[in-house]
Amino acid sequence: MCGTGRAGAGRRSLASGQTLTSDFFFNSPIRVAPKPSPIASHAMSDSGLPDFAQPPVDEVALSLQFPPIAGFTVPHFGLYWQWVRGDYPRSEIKPPITNITEEFGPGVAFARQMRIALTDLPEVRCWYFDDSGNRLVQVQRDRFVINWRKVTGAETYPRYPDLRDRLEREWTRFCEFLRNEGLERPKVNQCEVLYVNNIEYGKGWSGYGDLDQVIAALATPKAQNKFLPAPERMSMNVIYPLGESAGRLYVTFNPVVRARDGKEVLQMTLTARGAPKSASDDEVFAWLDLGRKWVVRGFADFTTDTMHKVWGKQ
Amino acid sequence: MSSAAATNIVQPAAHSRALVYGGISVNADIPVGSVELWRTEAIQKVIAFGKLPHNWDGRGSAAPGLGVRQAAIELLMRVPSVGAPRIVPTSAGGCHFEWSVGERELEISLEPNCRLEVLQVEHGMPLEEDPNLDLSALFGWLISE
């Protein structure tokens, strides 16, 4: 049945309002050779951090947030694409990400979310993809993000130093673009490191009754000597301060249906977010290294030795 | 029956997710921690439509595209918990949903351009109804028999 039977004549339709388009962008990309990095790389010295041969990483994102760039309007998304289109030939328009800031001190409730308000300018975010769809740059008036993600599931995680280098190159290129347009250089006020790990059933554990095989800190009541049966699903959020008010680490466990294959997996997301000591590139990237350290060590602390073996801990 | 009969307009709130922190992740994985089993299975079925080969129905039809599948999943996450619908791909590249409760049926077709078409059926006959119903009202009608 194809769903076209008796319904035909009596229907009227309406757009759902979810149209995405990149038609307004310009052609003629301009290739800009990346400059040598002025930013010291702290990422290459990874000694002391747990390392896994087959980590369950499905996506990594590194984000820089700043006050909205004055004068950055919709046409700049297309002009910027001209600069990067050789590397990112595909694009999509998305709703903007909320501005979010970690706060500390008495009476504050963790992160403060703020929508950009009192403006008549349309707020959008643009994704710029490479051909494979694995690598993206996200740009909006107050954010610059790079992502790496699995698309087919067969890709190998390129590792943090590679992503850090890519952010460094793209951030430098973005700032050059802004300067070329006569726009101010953004002053980064929040950094964010996101790791999405998909923990598949059947690889070291078989279901939510075995959660203690996955999560070190958790032992659900065992069915054989408790009233409760094995749980069907579990979600969990845990928040840690990074120390010295540098930010917070958010650890979440959620069952998800994976979009690429429809498989249900337990998704462990670790997000480190906070403020660099200053808006200098050195301090910004130093904060990203700190956030990444918390994510990796948090991942290792939260998960069990049993799973570490599955993931090839070295 | 007039052409306007049995017609309902469904208006989802565009970009409503922009009001909450959507995060910097770009993967469209669907959290199902507090989602009913039928809804999870329906979502998985819609995702599987993306794997349909060309000419899956022997009539040269294409599989529902990514945009249609995403819209279908969004629809499934919004509808009230009235049980599992019958879900099929359409030869036009869309998705078709049918819910049945007693003698009432609610059919929603998602076209390739993400437009929604709705049909209410009672005792096997299409209804002439108020064309300005929203999703809640449509499902309210379905279960109010």
Side-chain angles (χ1 to χ4, degrees), chain A residues 11-52:
Chain A
R11 296 180 186 225
R12 197 167 64 191
S13 54
L14 189 75
S16 71
Q18 297 294 321
T19 303
L20 303 175
T21 176
S22 58
D23 288 342
F24 68 91
F25 287 122
F26 306 107
N27 290 316
S28 306
I30 298 172
R31 299 296 295 270
V32 178
K35 285 185 175 179
S37 166
I39 305 163
S41 175
H42 306 279
M44 302 312 289
S45 56
D46 277 345
S47 60
L49 288 183
D51 195 16
F52 299 89

Side-chain angles (χ1 to χ4, degrees), chain A residues 225-280:
Chain A
N225 55 12
K226 299 285 185 181
F227 173 74
L228 290 173
E232 281 190 337
R233 284 173 175 159
M234 183 277 308
S235 297
M236 187 163 75
N237 296 320
V238 190
I239 305 172
Y240 295 92
L242 265 53
E244 299 178 348
S245 300
R248 290 189 176 85
L249 175 69
Y250 295 80
V251 184
T252 69
F253 288 88
N254 272 309
V256 302
V257 170
R258 197 160 53 193
R260 69 166 173 268
D261 59 5
K263 190 170 185 177
E264 185 175 330
V265 299
L266 178 61
Q267 190 165 84
M268 179 187 189
T269 301
L270 298 105
T271 305
R273 186 188 307 116
K277 288 178 180 170
S278 78
S280 75

Side-chain angles (χ1 to χ4, degrees), chain A:
Chain A
M1 141 93 187
C2 294
T4 56
R6 68 188 165 200
R11 296 180 186 225
R12 197 167 64 191
S13 54
L14 189 75
S16 71
Q18 297 294 321
T19 303
L20 303 175
T21 176
S22 58
D23 288 342
F24 68 91
F25 287 122
F26 306 107
N27 290 316
S28 306
I30 298 172
R31 299 296 295 270
V32 178
K35 285 185 175 179
S37 166
I39 305 163
S41 175
H42 306 279
M44 302 312 289
S45 56
D46 277 345
S47 60
L49 288 183
D51 195 16
F52 299 89
Q54 300 96 31
V57 181
D58 208 75
E59 181 182 7
V60 177
L62 305 175
S63 168
L64 308 178
Q65 179 182 287
F66 35 81
I69 303 168
F72 192 98
T73 55
V74 169
H76 289 103
F77 290 98
L79 292 171
Y80 172 67
W81 196 19
Q82 288 185 296
W83 280 56
V84 301
R85 196 169 182 177
D87 296 322
Y88 303 96
R90 299 157 55 199
S91 69
E92 283 185 20
I93 299 294
K94 297 288 179 183
I97 305 170
T98 308
N99 183 296
I100 187 164
T101 300
E102 293 298 327
E103 295 198 323
F104 293 89
V108 304
F110 301 116
R112 174 169 52 89
Q113 296 185 32
M114 187 173 68
R115 288 281 295 158
I116 301 166
L118 302 177
T119 174
D120 55 359
L121 296 173
E123 295 292 351
V124 298
R125 170 175 45 145
C126 195
W127 289 0
Y128 306 97
F129 300 77
D130 69 359
D131 275 326
S132 68
N134 294 127
R135 293 182 186 271
L136 286 83
V137 174
Q138 302 186 63
V139 175
Q140 64 184 53
R141 222 154 62 93
D142 60 352
R143 279 224 193 222
F144 187 88
V145 187
I146 66 153
N147 295 65
W148 171 86
R149 62 172 176 175
K150 287 184 177 175
V151 174
T152 67
E155 301 92 333
T156 302
Y157 167 49
R159 306 286 164 172
Y160 175 75
D162 175 274
L163 300 177
R164 185 190 195 277
D165 287 349
R166 181 167 288 258
L167 174 63
E168 185 186 320
R169 285 198 307 274
E170 298 303 350
W171 176 242
T172 300
R173 184 153 61 166
F174 182 64
C175 290
E176 286 176 0
F177 161 74
L178 294 176
R179 188 177 58 196
N180 192 60
E181 291 297 317
L183 300 175
E184 65 182 15
R185 181 184 175 87
K187 292 182 173 60
V188 176
N189 56 27
Q190 290 283 291
C191 301
E192 194 165 329
V193 176
L194 167 80
Y195 275 65
V196 179
N197 301 281
N198 284 342
I199 302 172
E200 297 186 18
Y201 310 139
K203 294 184 178 178
W205 69 307
S206 57
Y208 286 94
D210 293 336
L211 269 178
D212 53 335
Q213 298 290 311
V214 179
I215 305 172
L218 183 70
T220 53
K222 293 297 180 188
Q224 60 265 33
N225 55 12
K226 299 285 185 181
F227 173 74
L228 290 173
E232 281 190 337
R233 284 173 175 159
M234 183 277 308
S235 297
M236 187 163 75
N237 296 320
V238 190
I239 305 172
Y240 295 92
L242 265 53
E244 299 178 348
S245 300
R248 290 189 176 85
L249 175 69
Y250 295 80
V251 184
T252 69
F253 288 88
N254 272 309
V256 302
V257 170
R258 197 160 53 193
R260 69 166 173 268
D261 59 5
K263 190 170 185 177
E264 185 175 330
V265 299
L266 178 61
Q267 190 165 84
M268 179 187 189
T269 301
L270 298 105
T271 305
R273 186 188 307 116
K277 288 178 180 170
S278 78
S280 75
D281 281 348
D282 278 345
E283 291 293 355
V284 165
F285 279 79
W287 195 99
L288 291 170
D289 294 340
L290 174 74
R292 181 268 182 142
K293 182 179 94 173
W294 275 78
V295 165
V296 173
R297 299 202 69 149
F299 174 80
D301 276 4
F302 241 98
T303 48
T304 62
D305 290 343
T306 303
M307 295 307 293
H308 293 173
K309 287 175 187 164
V310 172
W311 298 324
K313 187 176 182 184
Q314 297 168 339

